[in-house]
Amino acid sequence: MPTSHLVDLQPGCLTLPVALQGADIYISSKLAMLELIMSGCTCSSDHLYIYPNDVCLEDSIRAARELGMRFHPTRGAMSMGKSKGGAAPDSTCEEEDYILKDMKRLIDEFHDVSRFSMLRMGLAPCAPFNVTQDLMKAAAKIARQHQGVRLHTHLAENEEDIEYCRETFNCRPGEYIKRVGWDKDDVWFAHCCCLNDAETKQWAEAGVGIAHCPSSNMRLKSGIAPVRKLLDNGVKVGIGVDGTASNDAGHMLMEVRQAMLLQRVAGNGMPAREALKVGTQGGAKVLGRDDIGRIAPGMAADFVAWRTDGISFSGAQHDLVAALLFCTPGLGPVDLSVINGDIIVKDGQMLTCNVKEVITEHTKHSIALCSHMKEQ
């Protein structure tokens, strides 16, 4: 979340962590993953970086395992609050020694680097404006001691981010990631709306990946990520739905559609098939996976299907692949979802949870949590 928006939201939304409990993380993660699965997603990552009260990363891991989602959780963190010159409230920050200890614990307990793994860990200090360079360097050192553990953070989301980097570090994001050792192919960044040409080339040469979050970028007026230029230069790009603070939906297929249309708004071409490739193979590459993202011999049995005899596909039978994106608003949930060979959705119905019960429980937690917000 960019500095300016973090400051804008503090009077209301950032009073919530005081009341946030592990049960809130569990049910919200479950609902979010449910929406992702029902909209065509089979593998996801999550960036959890606020840990008040009894909150722990295991809350979201439990949700993923119950639903059958292939999952790349990241141990996020904020360590530099306002009293230390950062942007985050001190109440949302943790001590760095504890953060690093917990990162090691989670890797030891949960990380599975085997082929077709259902869970791989990532380490994710939140952003340059709320963690120290020491934490960035230490997290990178820990990650690289374990095969398959990747690194993630927010970067170059908007012009305020660029200005903060210049004022605080006397450099642009490209130089900053060099200083902290994050210019490697085991790293992916969220957003990157404001990269210059030199940084685009740097990302390509280093093998750095990007999670493109078009709806979030539009909602927060962050800018339009130069996806066309990034792809043409060989940068790995996947699709992210971002979180509730900056996107009120987690519809994966709709997000791929937004990415396609937003590049057209920017005056760049992006065919439907290329957008779908970004959302599938692109996401797999960003996460460092060579066993998912394609339907092919030797790949994981992850695939989804929609019926093509409904209104959305009527008149589009000549190109059903393109229709999947251009006609997305009228589509219902997936009719079939198979993850790691297990049927998760059949005939449009989730088999691994009671959807109504999840919605009811989530609504109860949401109302209780929002009762702690200060009026805006």
Side-chain angles (χ1 to χ4, degrees), residues 16 19-21 23-28 31 355-372:
L16 296 182
L20 194 66
Q21 303 291 331
D24 300 313
I25 296 297
Y26 163 73
I27 195 63
S28 61
L31 186 80
V355 175
K356 289 186 178 180
E357 288 181 0
V358 173
I359 293 172
T360 298
E361 186 69 12
H362 180 268
T363 299
K364 182 178 72 174
H365 280 263
S366 176
I367 291 172
L369 193 59
C370 288
S371 69
H372 294 275

Side-chain angles (χ1 to χ4, degrees), residues 73-239:
T74 66
R75 206 307 183 176
M78 295 194 293
S79 64
M80 193 168 66
K82 286 186 174 180
S83 65
K84 297 180 180 178
D90 289 343
S91 61
T92 64
C93 295
E94 301 173 278
E95 293 298 322
E96 294 191 353
D97 286 346
Y98 176 76
I99 292 168
L100 296 170
K101 181 179 179 180
D102 201 41
M103 286 177 171
K104 294 175 183 176
R105 178 188 69 82
L106 289 162
I107 292 170
D108 290 341
E109 187 167 346
F110 293 106
H111 183 60
D112 177 10
V113 75
S114 66
R115 190 165 180 81
F116 310 132
S117 166
M118 290 293 286
L119 193 150
R120 291 185 184 175
M121 281 294 306
L123 304 183
C126 182
F129 51 79
N130 53 38
V131 299
T132 66
Q133 293 184 67
D134 286 343
L135 183 61
M136 295 289 285
K137 294 174 183 177
K141 183 177 180 180
I142 292 171
R144 289 166 185 151
Q145 292 171 349
H146 301 84
Q147 181 184 356
V149 175
R150 299 182 80 76
L151 295 162
H152 175 61
T153 194
H154 298 86
L155 196 73
E157 184 172 357
N158 56 27
E159 289 298 336
E160 287 92 338
D161 277 6
I162 304 300
E163 189 61 28
Y164 180 90
C165 203
R166 282 173 171 155
E167 291 181 357
T168 307
F169 308 116
N170 195 31
C171 66
R172 283 188 56 89
E175 177 60 30
Y176 172 84
I177 68 168
K178 284 183 182 179
R179 294 179 186 178
V180 296
W182 280 53
D183 55 338
K184 309 293 181 184
D185 63 2
D186 57 356
V187 173
W188 89 97
F189 300 120
H191 307 300
C192 291
C193 296
C194 300
L195 300 181
N196 62 24
D197 290 345
E199 288 163 340
T200 298
K201 183 178 179 181
Q202 177 187 355
W203 265 230
E205 292 176 349
V208 169
I210 293 175
H212 174 44
C213 307
S215 292
S216 171
N217 297 156
M218 288 188 283
R219 196 184 196 283
L220 296 179
K221 59 184 181 184
S222 301
I224 301 176
V227 174
R228 176 75 277 149
K229 182 186 295 184
L230 291 164
L231 292 172
D232 289 347
N233 279 272
V235 178
K236 297 178 294 190
V237 181
I239 299 295

Side-chain angles (χ1 to χ4, degrees), residues 163-372:
E163 189 61 28
Y164 180 90
C165 203
R166 282 173 171 155
E167 291 181 357
T168 307
F169 308 116
N170 195 31
C171 66
R172 283 188 56 89
E175 177 60 30
Y176 172 84
I177 68 168
K178 284 183 182 179
R179 294 179 186 178
V180 296
W182 280 53
D183 55 338
K184 309 293 181 184
D185 63 2
D186 57 356
V187 173
W188 89 97
F189 300 120
H191 307 300
C192 291
C193 296
C194 300
L195 300 181
N196 62 24
D197 290 345
E199 288 163 340
T200 298
K201 183 178 179 181
Q202 177 187 355
W203 265 230
E205 292 176 349
V208 169
I210 293 175
H212 174 44
C213 307
S215 292
S216 171
N217 297 156
M218 288 188 283
R219 196 184 196 283
L220 296 179
K221 59 184 181 184
S222 301
I224 301 176
V227 174
R228 176 75 277 149
K229 182 186 295 184
L230 291 164
L231 292 172
D232 289 347
N233 279 272
V235 178
K236 297 178 294 190
V237 181
I239 299 295
V241 300
D242 214 338
T244 311
S246 54
N247 185 3
D248 299 291
H251 195 293
M252 185 64 194
L253 191 63
M254 187 68 77
E255 206 68 31
V256 176
R257 183 178 190 267
Q258 293 281 48
M260 175 186 71
L261 296 179
L262 195 55
Q263 288 308 297
R264 295 181 177 213
V265 169
N268 304 313
M270 178 169 282
R273 284 168 172 77
E274 184 177 29
L276 285 167
K277 186 176 180 180
V278 170
T280 53
Q281 295 180 43
K285 290 178 180 178
V286 166
L287 292 176
R289 303 292 297 244
D290 62 0
D291 54 354
I292 62 174
R294 294 185 297 119
I295 300 175
M299 302 295 282
D302 295 0
F303 56 91
V304 298
W306 281 266
R307 294 183 62 92
T308 60
D309 55 358
I311 290 176
S312 290
F313 288 106
S314 181
Q317 298 294 315
H318 63 288
D319 192 347
L320 293 172
V321 175
L324 191 61
L325 286 193
F326 283 105
C327 306
T328 303
L331 280 181
V334 292
D335 291 284
L336 175 69
S337 177
V338 175
I339 302 176
N340 205 42
D342 296 323
I343 299 175
I344 306 300
V345 179
K346 184 178 181 180
D347 296 327
Q349 302 298 313
M350 281 289 299
L351 301 185
T352 54
C353 74
N354 184 311
V355 175
K356 289 186 178 180
E357 288 181 0
V358 173
I359 293 172
T360 298
E361 186 69 12
H362 180 268
T363 299
K364 182 178 72 174
H365 280 263
S366 176
I367 291 172
L369 193 59
C370 288
S371 69
H372 294 275

